[in-house]
Amino acid sequence: MVTAGTKHGGAAASPSPLHVVVFPWLAFGHMIPFLELSKRLARRGHAVTFVSTPRNAARMGAVPPELSARLRVAALELPGVEGLPRGAESTADVPPEQVGLLKKAFDGLAAPFADLVANGDATAGFSRKPDFIVHDFAQNWIWPVAEEHEIPCAVFVIFPAAILAFLGSREGNEAHPRSTAEDYMVPPPWIDFPSTIAHRRHEARAIAPLFRPNDSGVSDMDRFWDMQRPCCRLIVLRSCPEAEPRLFPLLTKLYARPVVPSGLLLPDELVGSDDDAPGGDRSFSDVVRWLDEQPRGSVIYVALGSEAPVTADHVRELALGLELSSARFLWALRRPVGHSGELLPDGFDRRVAGRGVVRTGWVPQVRVLAHAAVGAFLTHCGWGSTVESIFRFGLPLVMLPFVADQGLIARAMAARGVGVEVPRNEDDGSFRGDDVAAAVRRVMAEEEGVELARNARELQKVVGDRVRQERYADELVEYLQRYK
């Protein structure tokens, strides 16, 4: 729990309204929680300028009318970079191997952003100097702008506290260098209590590139570590102590500045507008009708996020596993970037007809998870999806992590008894359909699943308390007021 005194009731928590510039990295897994944070600040009476690129701004959807006077969008044109597809403005638009080029293009926003800060933007309601800039890990070029204009900054980390604890500070890594896969397969030495914060071998191999320069010429870790400047006053995490015990005090010490929770930024109460989300598909009613016909808690929802590096082989093994499991399922299938051929095994649709629905394109995930027919979630364990499924709806998990923080999240959820991880080959990360089927049956059809569901509901009651979560947003505002 943060040490700031708490006040409630929205804008009354702040002595004077702030102007906060909010600027996420170009990935929907980042932009969506940054926008949720922006809405919470605006609801508390503060002016918020949300910065992105034109296409991303359009895909984020309209600002709620009641917030339009305080929450405005400033769109900066993303410069072209050789090798980056025309019109690519987010990680969802490029294969994993081109994300470094997207970062290179993103670095080209330094000058337009500096101009925005210096001159304002009347169309975005940018009428006075910002009191704070809340930005992502990637903008290591933002510091000279902030320093020139004497604007304090906060890094908003949309990942769980566990990944920050695992990666550590620059000083920690210099004192305890890690050079082999085995070094990443155990908790780092600065975690001085029993912990599941460690990677599998195939995950460890994927972590090492974060410490090496990519096509942008800068490593992701160097981007993040550059925050250690006087104008960086806070690190804000999309998390809370109830979700990740013991980590906030450790991180505050490790990074030598306050590390504070924003709360989990749980989705708003359900309304009928999920279909109008980014990339919205207004023809989802047929799937809702199918869900309405299924017994309560009988369907497993399957979705691997918008950016996990899923291959055609992964899709085929997952299809085989769902078929062998005999479970009812709704699968939000995202075609791997660059793959145009047939994905599903021959005859798959016919063999699962009636008990399985495969949906391509946008699926309103929150709406699906809230449906009474859905009893579990087969997920890549992205933090946003974990927050929605466990902490919002109390659904147990079948876990198939792919990158970065996802393996750490899967270990933590397994340790808390709310999910089952699909076994993978330790060396190459491959998995088999038989193992997918066994994990699904454990959660959906066996006695173990009853206990997992009970544990998930209990954890949801503790972590998903709305009043407590809103209190974290109030306390974050107090931190911004104090450190401006």
Side-chain angles (χ1 to χ4, degrees):
M1 182 67 69
V2 296
T3 57
T6 58
K7 300 178 183 178
H8 308 291
S14 300
S16 60
L18 297 165
H19 176 205
V20 182
V21 171
V22 175
F23 192 2
W25 159 237
L26 306 179
F28 283 104
H30 292 241
M31 290 184 283
I32 290 171
F34 268 75
L35 185 59
E36 284 298 319
L37 178 64
S38 299
K39 291 176 181 177
R40 279 159 174 77
L41 294 175
R43 287 193 187 107
R44 286 161 172 79
H46 304 287
V48 180
T49 301
F50 183 93
V51 182
S52 192
T53 60
R55 188 178 180 204
N56 289 326
R59 291 189 287 191
M60 294 305 291
V63 173
E66 70 275 14
L67 300 180
S68 60
R70 293 187 297 276
L71 174 53
R72 306 295 181 88
V73 177
L76 304 179
E77 291 287 344
L78 190 70
V81 166
E82 185 177 355
L84 191 68
R86 183 182 298 273
E89 293 188 11
S90 82
T91 55
D93 301 326
V94 297
E97 60 270 19
Q98 291 187 345
V99 171
L101 292 176
L102 188 65
K103 290 189 174 84
K104 185 175 182 179
F106 189 62
D107 291 344
L109 294 179
F113 181 75
D115 185 62
L116 181 70
V117 171
N119 301 314
D121 183 349
T123 64
F126 202 137
S127 58
R128 65 182 177 90
K129 175 182 170 181
D131 296 296
F132 239 101
I133 298 172
V134 177
H135 61 92
D136 218 321
F137 78 97
Q139 294 104 316
N140 60 324
W141 38 263
I142 217 163
W143 307 115
V145 179
E147 288 166 353
E148 178 183 353
H149 296 280
E150 298 182 331
I151 303 170
C153 294
V155 179
F156 181 38
V157 180
I158 58 91
F159 300 111
I163 189 67
L164 235 59
F166 181 83
L167 294 173
S169 65
R170 191 193 302 272
E171 292 78 8
N173 280 271
E174 288 173 350
H176 304 280
R178 294 177 284 186
S179 57
T180 68
E182 287 75 16
D183 292 333
Y184 296 98
M185 294 170 65
V186 295
W190 48 81
I191 298 179
D192 56 0
F193 48 83
S195 173
T196 62
I197 298 177
H199 286 287
R200 311 283 195 216
R201 182 176 297 277
H202 66 93
E203 295 168 346
R205 288 172 176 161
I207 282 290
L210 297 178
F211 295 83
R212 297 195 295 265
N214 52 47
D215 286 339
S216 71
V218 185
S219 76
D220 286 346
M221 288 310 303
D222 280 329
R223 287 178 185 271
F224 178 69
W225 284 335
D226 276 351
M227 65 158 189
Q228 293 179 294
R229 296 177 181 232
C231 66
C232 179
R233 308 290 172 81
L234 305 169
I235 299 175
V236 182
L237 288 181
R238 185 195 184 184
S239 187
C240 63
E242 294 84 4
E244 299 187 273
R246 306 184 72 172
L247 289 180
F248 280 86
L250 170 71
L251 292 174
T252 292
K253 179 180 179 181
L254 191 63
Y255 289 98
R257 55 191 26 83
V259 177
V260 301
S262 68
L264 295 166
L265 305 179
L266 295 166
D268 289 336
E269 293 299 328
L270 293 175
V271 293
S273 60
D274 273 87
D275 291 338
D276 297 325
D281 182 346
R282 296 176 180 272
S283 61
F284 196 71
S285 57
D286 57 328
V287 179
V288 175
R289 285 194 296 271
W290 179 82
L291 283 171
D292 289 342
E293 295 168 357
Q294 309 310 309
R296 185 178 185 87
S298 66
V299 175
I300 185 166
Y301 173 56
V302 182
L304 301 179
S306 60
E307 293 152 26
V310 178
T311 67
D313 285 341
H314 292 146
V315 171
R316 284 188 284 269
E317 290 299 322
L318 184 53
L320 175 61
L322 292 171
E323 181 179 345
L324 293 174
S325 73
S326 299
R328 293 178 173 88
F329 64 88
L330 168 58
W331 184 2
L333 174 60
R334 178 177 59 86
R335 180 175 290 276
V337 176
H339 188 279
S340 58
E342 190 63 39
L343 274 175
L344 298 174
D346 289 343
F348 175 79
D349 289 341
R350 173 179 49 81
R351 293 191 297 273
V352 302
R355 72 171 176 90
V357 172
V358 178
R359 184 74 174 186
T360 57
W362 176 263
V363 171
Q365 180 160 295
V366 173
R367 185 177 173 189
V368 170
L369 292 172
H371 198 284
V374 175
F377 185 15
L378 194 161
T379 174
H380 62 311
C381 282
W383 189 230
S385 290
T386 304
V387 164
E388 290 174 356
S389 55
I390 290 288
F391 304 134
R392 175 70 170 85
F393 298 111
L395 294 173
L397 307 176
V398 174
M399 302 181 291
L400 192 60
F402 280 84
V403 296
D405 58 324
Q406 295 166 10
L408 302 184
I409 295 169
R411 310 293 114 74
M413 294 301 107
R416 298 185 84 154
V418 298
V420 170
E421 189 172 351
V422 175
R424 302 183 81 141
N425 182 290
E426 284 285 334
D427 290 321
D428 63 13
S430 61
F431 59 90
R432 299 167 54 248
D434 287 346
D435 290 324
V436 173
V440 170
R441 286 193 293 266
R442 285 173 64 185
V443 174
M444 297 297 294
E446 298 177 6
E447 188 63 29
E448 181 183 3
V450 176
E451 181 66 20
L452 291 167
R454 184 184 303 114
N455 292 342
R457 289 191 297 270
E458 290 300 315
L459 187 56
Q460 187 273 332
K461 290 177 185 176
V462 173
V463 179
D465 178 80
R466 285 270 172 178
V467 173
R468 184 177 298 172
Q469 288 298 319
E470 288 300 314
R471 187 182 302 140
Y472 286 122
D474 291 337
E475 293 174 344
L476 174 58
V477 169
E478 292 181 358
Y479 270 107
L480 295 175
Q481 291 280 9
R482 188 188 311 169
Y483 285 91
K484 70 179 181 179

